[in-house]
Amino acid sequence: MTEQRPGAHMAAEIAQQPDVLAGLVARQAEIAEVAEKISHHPPRFALLAARGSSDHAALYAKYLIEVLLGLPAGLVSPSTATLYGARPDLRDVLFVTVSQSGGSPDLIEVTETARRQGALTVSVTNTPDSPLRAASELGVDIGAGVEKAVAATKTYSATLMALYLLIDAVRGGKAADAEKIGELAQQTLDGAAEGVQRAVDRYRFVDRVLTTGRGYSYASALEGSLKLAETSYLAARAYSGADLLHGPVAAVDGETAVLAVTSKGQGGQAMHEVLEAVGKRGADVLAVGSAAAEMPAALRIDVAPTVEELAPILEILPIQRIALGLSLARGGDPDSPRGLLKVTKTR
């Protein structure tokens, strides 16, 4: 039997994302049927439950719900129900649980609890026959296919895409802005290849990385930090650009690498001041995004431009490639990070 080379699964699954994203957009009408059922019971507000990479996708959805739908939205703490037995009144609440596997006991239990407490429950999962889907009234199938690498790549971007399509459909949209997302994803992967290699060469020996972004792109900063930590074992921390200036910037110095997610739009504009501040403290800044060329940075990786609310689907792609490249350069295997399993079960 031929031995699988390190990172082969992660590399292949990153490369599959343009087709996965295009396939999801082609299923917009199917997802719109779920949105129509939500519209029949207009919620007072929305709650989202998730863990790991899915938690970052849920944060992205929180921004979408608050900005596009004008509804308050929050991320729940599953342990309030699973460990502490809290039973809040959730009548007229939209409760969305995001989980690639659909198998974590705490997410299943909190969804069951929310449903009993009167919420309209929706699961967004890559496993349509999972216990989570059975616990939910409605479900959206991410449809990314089997993911063999432990580190989530295509399931993460597909989750973002599915959440966007769902929320856009709730407001009556037809996913017009996402029509070319598959092509833009391929353009981003192809165009970023040289910059990704420069970043890997530049940061392969770094020990401390700080990731940052604002608005929709804050989710990308969080996911980027997780990818670097779980594949390359880096001491990676993520901050919103605003929070970074409220204190953590004091810890930034010439030994700090800063990966800044900076796409065109309000969030990206707000990052200019942040990067000037960390630059003055000697940080080595890598800017990733469609606004990277406008940022004060030592290295820039451009991303295909799109509307701001879709930018996280594209800007995470070169960051995944950086995590893959750094892991391999540091002698690791990002397909099987030490101490991690594909499905993590918590309560």
Side-chain angles (χ1 to χ4, degrees):
M1 180 182 292
T2 304
E3 186 175 349
Q4 188 78 31
R5 72 183 188 278
H9 290 312
M10 186 175 177
E13 287 158 3
I14 291 173
Q16 291 167 18
Q17 289 175 102
D19 288 340
V20 170
L21 295 170
L24 257 171
V25 174
R27 292 172 44 222
Q28 189 273 344
E30 172 190 327
I31 296 172
E33 291 178 4
V34 178
E36 184 178 5
K37 293 175 182 177
I38 293 171
S39 299
H40 289 161
H41 306 279
R44 293 183 291 125
F45 59 88
L47 293 173
L48 299 116
R51 295 289 192 196
S53 288
S54 293
D55 199 39
H56 307 151
L59 176 65
Y60 167 71
K62 179 180 183 294
Y63 275 89
L64 290 176
I65 291 167
E66 292 183 342
V67 176
L68 302 187
L69 302 184
L71 291 175
L75 303 179
V76 306
S77 302
S79 60
T80 60
T82 62
L83 300 184
Y84 295 99
R87 297 295 183 265
D89 182 357
L90 297 181
R91 288 173 293 178
D92 301 321
V93 171
L94 174 63
F95 194 98
V96 181
T97 308
V98 187
S99 171
Q100 294 151 15
S101 70
S104 186
D106 54 352
L107 295 179
I108 296 165
E109 184 177 341
V110 75
T111 303
E112 292 171 340
T113 299
R115 187 170 181 176
R116 287 194 297 268
Q117 295 304 112
L120 175 61
T121 52
V122 182
S123 63
V124 179
T125 176
N126 197 45
T127 314
D129 59 352
S130 64
L132 175 61
R133 176 62 190 93
S136 309
E137 291 173 70
L138 303 174
V140 173
D141 178 12
I142 295 168
V146 175
E147 190 172 60
K148 296 180 180 179
V150 170
T153 54
K154 66 177 181 176
T155 55
Y156 177 73
S157 62
T159 300
L160 299 186
M161 189 77 258
L163 287 164
Y164 173 82
L165 292 172
L166 177 66
I167 294 163
D168 178 63
V170 170
R171 67 168 175 169
K174 303 293 184 183
D177 289 328
E179 183 179 353
K180 303 292 186 182
I181 198 72
E183 296 174 25
L184 293 174
Q186 191 62 61
Q187 179 182 327
T188 295
L189 286 171
D190 293 344
E194 184 178 339
V196 167
Q197 187 57 55
R198 288 201 304 269
V200 170
D201 293 340
R202 189 179 187 96
Y203 301 116
R204 64 180 298 180
F205 298 114
V206 76
D207 292 320
R208 186 162 43 128
V209 177
L210 185 153
T211 64
T212 183
R214 287 203 67 180
Y216 295 107
S217 295
Y218 180 34
S220 300
L222 287 162
E223 178 64 11
S225 176
L226 174 61
K227 283 291 159 287
L228 293 170
E230 69 182 353
T231 62
S232 299
Y233 317 136
L234 286 167
R237 291 288 303 272
Y239 294 99
S240 126
D243 288 336
L244 180 58
L245 295 184
H246 275 269
V249 69
V252 174
D253 56 25
E255 299 299 314
T256 309
V258 175
L259 192 164
V261 191
T262 56
S263 288
K264 294 182 182 296
Q266 298 300 315
Q269 289 176 16
M271 286 299 296
H272 201 283
E273 176 189 6
V274 178
L275 298 191
E276 284 185 337
V278 298
K280 288 177 181 177
R281 298 195 59 82
D284 194 282
V285 178
L286 164 62
V288 177
S290 56
E294 306 163 15
M295 296 295 151
L299 185 61
R300 301 172 182 88
I301 297 177
D302 195 37
V303 169
T306 185
V307 294
E308 186 176 5
E309 54 265 30
L310 286 172
I313 297 171
L314 300 177
E315 63 202 14
I316 197 60
L317 304 180
I319 297 174
Q320 292 171 347
R321 281 254 175 97
I322 291 169
L324 167 66
L326 283 175
S327 177
L328 295 174
R330 293 159 71 94
D333 182 1
D335 285 345
S336 302
R338 63 192 185 205
L340 295 180
L341 299 173
K342 187 62 181 171
V343 180
T344 302
K345 296 187 176 182
T346 52
R347 185 173 186 274

